[in-house]
Coordinates of all heavy atoms in Angstrom, one line a residue:
K11 N -7.2 13.4 3.4 CA -5.9 12.7 3.1 C -6.3 11.3 2.5 O -7.3 10.7 2.7 CB -4.9 12.6 4.2 CG -5.6 11.8 5.5 CD -5.1 10.4 5.5 CE -5.6 9.7 6.7 NZ -5.9 8.2 6.4
N13 N -3.8 7.6 2.1 CA -2.5 6.8 2.6 C -1.9 6.2 1.3 O -2.5 5.3 0.8 CB -2.7 5.8 3.6 CG -3.2 6.5 4.9 OD1 -4.4 6.3 5.1 ND2 -2.4 7.1 5.5
D40 N -13.8 19.5 3.0 CA -15.1 20.1 3.7 C -15.0 21.5 3.7 O -13.9 22.0 3.8 CB -15.1 19.5 5.1 CG -15.4 18.0 5.2 OD1 -15.9 17.4 4.2 OD2 -15.0 17.4 6.3
M54 N -22.2 24.8 16.6 CA -22.0 24.4 15.3 C -23.2 23.9 14.6 O -24.2 23.4 15.2 CB -20.8 23.4 15.2 CG -21.2 21.9 15.5 SD -19.7 20.8 15.1 CE -19.8 20.7 13.3
L58 N -24.8 17.4 7.5 CA -25.0 15.9 7.8 C -25.8 15.7 9.1 O -25.2 15.9 10.1 CB -23.7 15.2 7.7 CG -23.1 15.0 6.4 CD1 -21.9 14.0 6.5 CD2 -24.0 14.6 5.3
F60 N -26.6 13.2 10.7 CA -26.3 12.2 11.6 C -25.0 12.4 12.4 O -24.6 11.7 13.3 CB -26.0 10.8 10.9 CG -25.0 10.7 9.8 CD1 -23.7 10.6 10.2 CD2 -25.3 11.0 8.5 CE1 -22.7 10.4 9.0 CE2 -24.4 11.1 7.4 CZ -23.1 10.7 7.8
L61 N -24.2 13.6 12.1 CA -23.1 14.0 12.7 C -23.4 14.7 14.1 O -24.3 15.4 14.0 CB -22.2 14.9 11.8 CG -21.2 14.3 10.9 CD1 -20.3 15.4 10.3 CD2 -20.4 13.2 11.4
P62 N -22.6 14.4 15.1 CA -22.9 15.0 16.4 C -22.5 16.5 16.2 O -21.5 16.9 15.5 CB -21.9 14.4 17.3 CG -20.9 13.8 16.6 CD -21.6 13.5 15.2
D66 N -18.8 15.9 21.0 CA -18.2 14.7 20.3 C -17.7 15.1 18.9 O -17.0 14.2 18.3 CB -19.3 13.6 20.1 CG -19.7 13.0 21.4 OD1 -18.8 13.1 22.4 OD2 -20.8 12.5 21.6
N67 N -18.1 16.2 18.5 CA -17.6 16.7 17.1 C -16.2 17.2 17.3 O -16.0 18.1 18.1 CB -18.4 17.6 16.5 CG -18.2 17.7 14.9 OD1 -17.0 18.0 14.7 ND2 -19.1 17.4 14.3
L68 N -15.2 16.8 16.5 CA -13.9 17.2 16.6 C -13.7 18.6 16.5 O -12.7 19.3 16.9 CB -12.9 16.5 15.7 CG -13.0 14.9 15.9 CD1 -11.7 14.3 15.1 CD2 -12.8 14.5 17.3
C69 N -14.7 19.4 15.6 CA -14.6 20.7 15.4 C -14.8 21.5 16.8 O -14.1 22.4 17.2 CB -15.8 21.2 14.5 SG -15.5 20.7 12.9
I70 N -15.8 21.1 17.7 CA -16.1 21.7 19.0 C -14.9 21.3 19.8 O -14.4 22.3 20.6 CB -17.3 21.0 19.5 CG1 -18.6 21.2 18.7 CG2 -17.6 21.6 21.0 CD1 -19.3 22.5 18.7
K71 N -14.3 20.3 19.7 CA -13.1 19.9 20.6 C -12.0 20.9 20.3 O -11.4 21.4 21.2 CB -12.7 18.4 20.3 CG -13.5 17.4 21.1 CD -12.8 16.2 21.3 CE -13.6 15.2 22.1 NZ -14.1 14.1 21.4
L90 N -20.2 23.6 9.2 CA -19.4 22.6 8.5 C -20.2 22.0 7.4 O -21.3 21.4 7.6 CB -19.1 21.4 9.6 CG -18.4 20.2 9.1 CD1 -17.0 20.5 8.5 CD2 -18.3 19.1 10.2
K92 N -19.9 19.2 5.0 CA -19.2 17.9 4.8 C -19.3 17.3 3.3 O -20.4 17.3 2.8 CB -19.8 16.7 5.7 CG -19.3 16.7 7.2 CD -18.0 16.6 7.6 CE -17.2 15.4 7.3 NZ -15.8 15.4 7.8
I94 N -16.2 15.2 2.5 CA -15.2 14.1 2.6 C -16.1 12.9 3.3 O -16.9 13.1 4.3 CB -14.1 14.5 3.7 CG1 -13.5 15.7 3.2 CG2 -13.2 13.2 4.0 CD1 -12.4 16.2 4.2
P95 N -16.0 11.8 2.7 CA -16.8 10.6 3.3 C -16.4 10.4 4.8 O -15.3 10.5 5.0 CB -16.2 9.4 2.4 CG -15.6 10.0 1.1 CD -15.2 11.3 1.4
V96 N -17.6 10.1 5.4 CA -17.3 9.9 7.0 C -16.9 8.6 7.3 O -17.5 7.6 6.7 CB -18.7 10.4 7.6 CG1 -18.6 10.2 9.2 CG2 -19.0 11.9 7.3
A97 N -16.0 8.4 8.3 CA -15.6 7.1 8.8 C -15.2 6.2 7.7 O -15.6 5.1 7.3 CB -16.8 6.4 9.6
A98 N -14.2 6.8 6.7 CA -13.9 6.2 5.5 C -12.5 6.1 5.3 O -12.0 5.7 4.2 CB -14.6 7.0 4.5
G99 N -11.5 6.5 6.3 CA -10.2 6.4 6.1 C -9.6 7.6 5.5 O -8.5 7.4 4.9
M100 N -10.3 8.7 5.6 CA -9.9 10.0 4.9 C -9.5 11.1 5.9 O -9.4 12.3 5.5 CB -10.8 10.5 3.8 CG -11.0 9.4 2.7 SD -11.6 10.0 1.2 CE -10.1 10.8 0.6
A101 N -9.5 10.8 7.2 CA -9.2 11.7 8.2 C -10.2 13.0 8.1 O -9.8 14.1 8.5 CB -7.7 12.3 8.1
G102 N -11.4 12.7 7.8 CA -12.4 13.8 7.7 C -12.6 14.6 9.0 O -12.4 15.9 9.1
G103 N -12.7 14.0 10.1 CA -12.9 14.7 11.4 C -11.6 15.4 11.9 O -11.6 16.6 12.3
S104 N -10.5 14.7 11.5 CA -9.2 15.4 12.0 C -8.9 16.6 11.2 O -8.4 17.6 11.7 CB -8.0 14.4 11.7 OG -8.3 13.2 12.4
T105 N -9.2 16.6 9.9 CA -8.9 17.8 9.1 C -9.9 18.9 9.4 O -9.4 20.1 9.5 CB -8.9 17.5 7.6 OG1 -8.3 18.4 6.8 CG2 -10.2 17.1 7.0
D106 N -11.2 18.6 9.8 CA -12.0 19.6 10.2 C -11.5 20.3 11.6 O -11.4 21.4 11.7 CB -13.5 19.1 10.5 CG -14.1 18.6 9.3 OD1 -13.6 19.1 8.1 OD2 -15.0 17.8 9.4
A107 N -10.8 19.4 12.5 CA -10.5 20.0 13.8 C -9.1 20.9 13.3 O -9.0 21.9 13.9 CB -9.9 18.8 14.6
D137 N -4.1 12.0 14.0 CA -4.0 12.5 12.6 C -4.1 14.1 12.5 O -3.8 14.6 11.4 CB -5.1 11.9 11.7 CG -4.9 10.5 11.2 OD1 -3.6 10.1 11.4 OD2 -5.8 9.9 10.7
V176 N -17.0 0.7 7.7 CA -16.0 -0.1 8.4 C -15.6 0.4 9.7 O -15.5 1.7 9.9 CB -14.7 -0.1 7.4 CG1 -13.4 -0.7 8.1 CG2 -15.1 -0.7 6.1
T178 N -13.0 1.0 12.2 CA -11.5 1.0 12.4 C -11.0 0.2 13.5 O -10.1 -0.6 13.4 CB -11.0 2.5 12.7 OG1 -11.6 3.4 11.6 CG2 -9.5 2.7 12.7
S249 N -7.7 3.4 1.3 CA -7.0 4.5 2.1 C -7.4 4.0 3.6 O -8.5 3.8 3.9 CB -7.6 5.8 1.8 OG -6.9 6.7 2.6
G250 N -6.4 4.3 4.5 CA -6.5 4.0 6.0 C -7.1 2.6 6.2 O -6.7 1.6 5.6
S251 N -8.0 2.6 7.1 CA -8.8 1.3 7.4 C -9.9 1.0 6.4 O -10.6 0.1 6.7 CB -9.1 1.3 9.0 OG -9.9 2.4 9.0
G252 N -10.1 2.0 5.5 CA -11.1 1.8 4.4 C -12.5 2.3 4.9 O -12.5 3.0 6.0
T254 N -12.8 3.5 1.7 CA -12.6 4.3 0.6 C -11.4 3.7 -0.2 O -10.4 3.2 0.3 CB -12.2 5.8 0.9 OG1 -13.3 6.2 1.6 CG2 -12.0 6.6 -0.3
Ligands
LIG1 P1 -9.3 8.3 9.9 O1 -9.0 8.3 8.4 O2 -8.6 9.3 10.8 O3 -9.5 7.0 10.5 P2 -12.1 8.4 9.4 O4 -12.2 8.9 8.0 O5 -12.1 6.9 9.6 O6 -10.8 9.0 10.0 P3 -13.9 10.5 10.4 O7 -14.6 10.8 9.0 O8 -13.0 11.4 11.0 O9 -13.1 9.0 10.4 O10 -15.2 10.0 11.4 C1 -15.3 9.0 12.3 C2 -16.2 9.4 13.5 O11 -16.0 10.5 14.1 C3 -17.6 9.4 12.8 O12 -18.3 8.4 13.0 C4 -18.3 10.8 13.6 O13 -19.3 10.4 14.4 C5 -17.1 11.3 14.5 N1 -16.8 12.6 14.1 C6 -16.7 13.6 15.0 N2 -16.4 14.8 14.4 C7 -16.5 14.6 13.1 C8 -16.3 15.5 11.9 N3 -16.1 16.8 12.0 N4 -16.5 14.9 10.8 C9 -16.7 13.6 10.5 N5 -16.8 12.8 11.7 C10 -16.7 13.3 12.8

Side-chain angles (χ1 to χ4, degrees):
K11 66 89 180 153
N13 298 100
D40 292 340
M54 75 173 286
L58 291 190
F60 62 86
L61 275 188
D66 290 336
N67 197 297
L68 301 190
C69 290
I70 301 272
K71 282 200 173 117
L90 172 65
K92 284 294 299 182
I94 303 172
V96 175
M100 302 200 77
S104 304
T105 194
D106 295 342
D137 280 346
V176 168
T178 304
S249 186
S251 54
T254 302

